[in-house]
Amino acid sequence: MEWVRAWRPAVDGIHEVFHARFVEHVYPRHTHDAWTVFVVDQGAIRYDLEHRHRGVAGARVTILPPHVVHDGRPATGAGFRKRVLYLGDELLPAALIGHAVDRPDVVDPRLVRAIDRLHSVLRDPGDAFEAEARTALVVDRLRAHLGDRAGAPAEATDRTLAADLRDLLDAHRDEPFTLREASRILHASPGHLVRSFTRAFGIAPHRYVVGRRIDLARSRLLDGEPASRVAMDVGFHDQAHLTRHFRRHVGTTPARFASSHRA
């Protein structure tokens, strides 16, 4: 059976997420304005990039550059299943197109795992900050594979930068705040911010924010406020989003936590 799922996530620079399974569909020769970054989860694909015959299957990432002609078709009668990110040139600059044409297929298990984790959070709008942080790490690794050493993050731990980011996250912990805003304020790339914070404090910034919001939620729930209001006031997307993270952190639901003092 063939199927398609597509959506636009709330992450700057990701134009579209596209998941599909095809058995007979053949892509005609075409181009995109965006970078096409995909993994094949099942089966195999044959494709031509410009006039070069290529194929992809298994644990690798394929990077098709914008404005370059390509096609695609199943490599066998069993078809294929794939997941695709369409990324804008604000994430991957046009100067990297030539390298992508020469070497579009990347064998990098860490990058495959990072893209897999990114796809897992992109569907939930409540996880936008985590998706933004994971996007920054994926983009840094893609740029490194495409030969962009200028875009690679500094390896030395920058505790001052990490502390400044923590102060920003604390100041905005109960309201929408993006990694792009932090990047503009602190004059550092999103990927560098994520890596510096994680090395300095032993926790990724998106996990830190969730933990701080859970602390706020616990206090307000014990004050008798309803979970629906608490969820929105402390920065979660909705009550279901609060409940999912609350259960993970506290081991019970917000409602049971709030009523536990009466037990």
Side-chain angles (χ1 to χ4, degrees):
M1 181 179 69
E2 297 191 332
W3 52 262
V4 165
R5 299 187 187 104
W7 69 98
R8 180 178 291 114
V11 179
D12 288 341
I14 301 183
H15 294 186
E16 181 186 318
V17 183
F18 183 84
H19 294 183
R21 182 178 187 273
F22 293 128
V23 178
E24 299 180 350
H25 177 68
V26 175
Y27 286 99
R29 290 173 62 79
H30 65 285
T31 66
H32 295 288
D33 290 335
W35 291 80
T36 304
V37 178
F38 70 89
V39 293
V40 177
D41 296 310
Q42 187 180 66
I45 296 175
R46 292 186 183 278
Y47 69 95
D48 294 346
L49 184 62
E50 286 193 317
H51 301 293
R52 309 180 198 188
H53 303 299
R54 299 188 180 275
V56 60
R60 66 183 63 194
V61 178
T62 299
I63 310 168
L64 304 182
H67 315 301
V68 178
V69 175
H70 59 278
D71 60 12
R73 55 206 173 274
T76 70
F80 62 87
R81 179 166 53 85
K82 67 175 182 175
R83 289 174 294 166
V84 188
L85 301 171
Y86 292 100
L87 306 180
D89 57 11
E90 64 268 45
L91 299 182
L92 295 176
L96 304 177
I97 287 177
H99 192 100
V101 171
D102 293 335
R103 299 181 61 187
D105 298 316
V106 178
V107 179
D108 179 351
R110 286 181 60 189
L111 178 57
V112 172
R113 289 194 296 271
I115 289 177
D116 183 65
R117 288 192 290 266
L118 174 56
H119 275 282
S120 72
V121 300
L122 280 173
R123 186 177 288 277
D124 189 341
D127 290 332
F129 188 83
E130 178 178 356
E132 191 183 17
R134 293 196 181 280
T135 298
L137 297 178
V138 165
V139 167
D140 274 353
R141 202 159 184 87
L142 289 171
R143 292 177 70 145
H145 277 293
L146 293 173
D148 182 19
R149 298 306 167 191
E155 289 302 321
T157 299
D158 188 339
R159 292 194 65 88
T160 299
L161 183 64
D164 289 344
L165 177 57
R166 182 175 60 182
D167 290 344
L168 276 177
L169 297 179
D170 285 343
H172 298 276
R173 65 176 176 173
D174 59 350
E175 60 188 49
F177 187 68
T178 69
L179 201 56
R180 175 165 290 194
E181 291 177 84
S183 177
R184 177 183 56 79
I185 293 169
L186 299 177
H187 307 291
S189 72
H192 189 187
L193 287 177
V194 173
R195 293 179 190 278
S196 296
F197 191 97
T198 304
R199 284 195 297 262
F201 301 120
I203 186 173
H206 62 271
R207 296 190 186 280
Y208 175 80
V209 169
V210 168
R212 300 291 283 149
R213 289 174 176 173
I214 291 294
D215 277 349
L216 279 176
R218 292 173 73 140
S219 177
R220 295 182 62 161
L221 288 167
L222 289 179
D223 285 340
E225 295 187 43
S228 57
R229 182 195 304 164
V230 169
M232 301 301 293
D233 287 352
V234 305
F236 288 100
H237 182 69
D238 53 25
Q239 186 174 345
H241 188 219
L242 166 64
T243 298
R244 176 159 57 85
H245 285 289
F246 199 94
R247 191 195 301 271
R248 185 180 302 163
H249 278 251
V250 187
T252 189
T253 67
R256 289 175 179 168
F257 176 84
S259 63
S260 62
H261 70 282
R262 296 193 297 269

